[in-house]
Amino acid sequence: MTQKVAVLGTGKIGEALLSGMIRAGWAPADLLVTARRPERARELQERHGVTPVTNPEAAKTADTLILTVKPQDMGTLLDELAPHIPADRLVISGAAGIPTSFFEERLATGTPVVRVMTNTPALVDEAMSVISAGSHATADHLATAEGIFGAVGKTLRVPESQQDACTALSGSGPAYFFYLVEAMTDAGILLGLPRDKAHDLIVQSAIGAAVMLRDSGEHPVKLRENVTSPAGTTINAIRELENHGVRAALIAALEAARDRSRELASGNN
């Protein structure tokens, strides 16, 4: 890899991205980082061999800028960067809910912007990153973003109009599974199991089920039916889930997440 890439606002996800890129073949010398606290920048340098710089230095030097600050801080960051970013720089946004037009309006005319929604499994190289092109981004720009985020998981291209739905499904998605595991662990305790054993049973079942979904090619309904015997334990549990409206609650929850993503995009913080 010969291009220089800068990660601006390097928190946990940004650091996961850096370490994944290094494992995928990027030279640490070609990776620049910025951080709000100087001690955080030094920590990244010592841990990964990357080069700490200021935001303006990153804008002037890097071929690709990855902006990973919080959505509410993005406007301030762009005000700082705009005078220093040439129109041929690729800008990748990892901020939830902010459209590419927000960047295009604040940067030089023609600046290519790619919007990416990733999720916290990037920390274990199992991210789902959804990639959308702005008005001036080309297929090569999308390929660059895929190469970077592919280092920490799977990538998927979608039209930007679908980003809010993807945020609801995969951006927030890990939290739903953590919530489910939490509830199932409590149920295991209620049924008489120690917490650690309930946790181990549920986590391994979740891993196994996820691998089957990914690798079998079977529809989830078919996989569920394979576990559901007539008059058995599973169908009784499924009946209770349906009686309590779990399916409808999940749909409503994802709609609420999608709507909140739209609100963030419109500036309603």
Side-chain angles (χ1 to χ4, degrees), residues 130-152:
V130 184
I131 297 173
S132 301
S135 301
H136 309 294
T138 66
D140 286 343
H141 295 131
L142 288 172
T144 296
E146 287 174 330
I148 291 171
F149 283 85
V152 292

Side-chain angles (χ1 to χ4, degrees), residues 1 20 28-29 36 51 58 94 102 107 113 118 124 161 166 175 180 184 214 225 227 237 251-252 261 266:
M1 307 296 178
R36 180 173 295 179
T51 303
F102 180 90
L107 299 175
V113 179
T118 192
V124 293
S161 61
C166 293
L180 179 61
M184 291 178 69
R214 184 189 65 191
E225 288 177 344
V227 189
I251 292 171
S261 183
S266 65

Side-chain angles (χ1 to χ4, degrees), residues 5-141:
V5 177
V7 181
L8 283 71
T10 313
K12 288 184 178 180
I13 294 294
E15 184 176 5
L17 194 58
L18 281 174
S19 61
M21 291 171 68
I22 292 169
R23 289 192 300 274
W26 269 266
D30 291 328
L31 299 177
L32 312 177
V33 297
T34 76
R36 180 173 295 179
R37 295 179 292 107
E39 59 270 26
R40 171 62 174 164
R42 288 194 297 271
E43 178 184 275
L44 292 167
Q45 183 179 32
E46 293 169 1
R47 187 176 297 163
H48 302 290
V50 297
T51 303
V53 294
T54 65
N55 289 329
E57 287 172 340
K60 295 173 186 176
T61 307
D63 301 292
T64 298
L65 304 173
I66 306 173
L67 312 186
T68 62
V69 300
K70 295 177 180 178
Q72 59 267 32
D73 297 329
M74 191 62 77
T76 301
L77 176 62
L78 290 177
D79 289 342
E80 183 181 6
L81 294 177
H84 308 288
I85 299 180
D88 61 349
R89 291 286 191 271
L90 171 58
V91 175
I92 299 176
S93 165
I98 300 183
T100 56
S101 59
F102 180 90
F103 300 86
E104 292 167 349
E105 291 166 0
R106 290 162 174 78
L107 299 175
T109 301
T111 301
V113 179
V114 172
R115 178 177 171 181
V116 180
M117 167 51 61
T118 192
N119 57 16
T120 56
L123 298 168
V124 293
D125 291 347
E126 291 292 347
M128 182 70 252
S129 300
V130 184
I131 297 173
S132 301
S135 301
H136 309 294
T138 66
D140 286 343
H141 295 131

Side-chain angles (χ1 to χ4, degrees), residues 180-195 198 202:
L180 179 61
V181 168
E182 179 187 358
M184 291 178 69
T185 301
D186 288 344
I189 295 168
L190 180 65
L191 297 173
L193 292 170
R195 178 175 292 276
I202 294 159

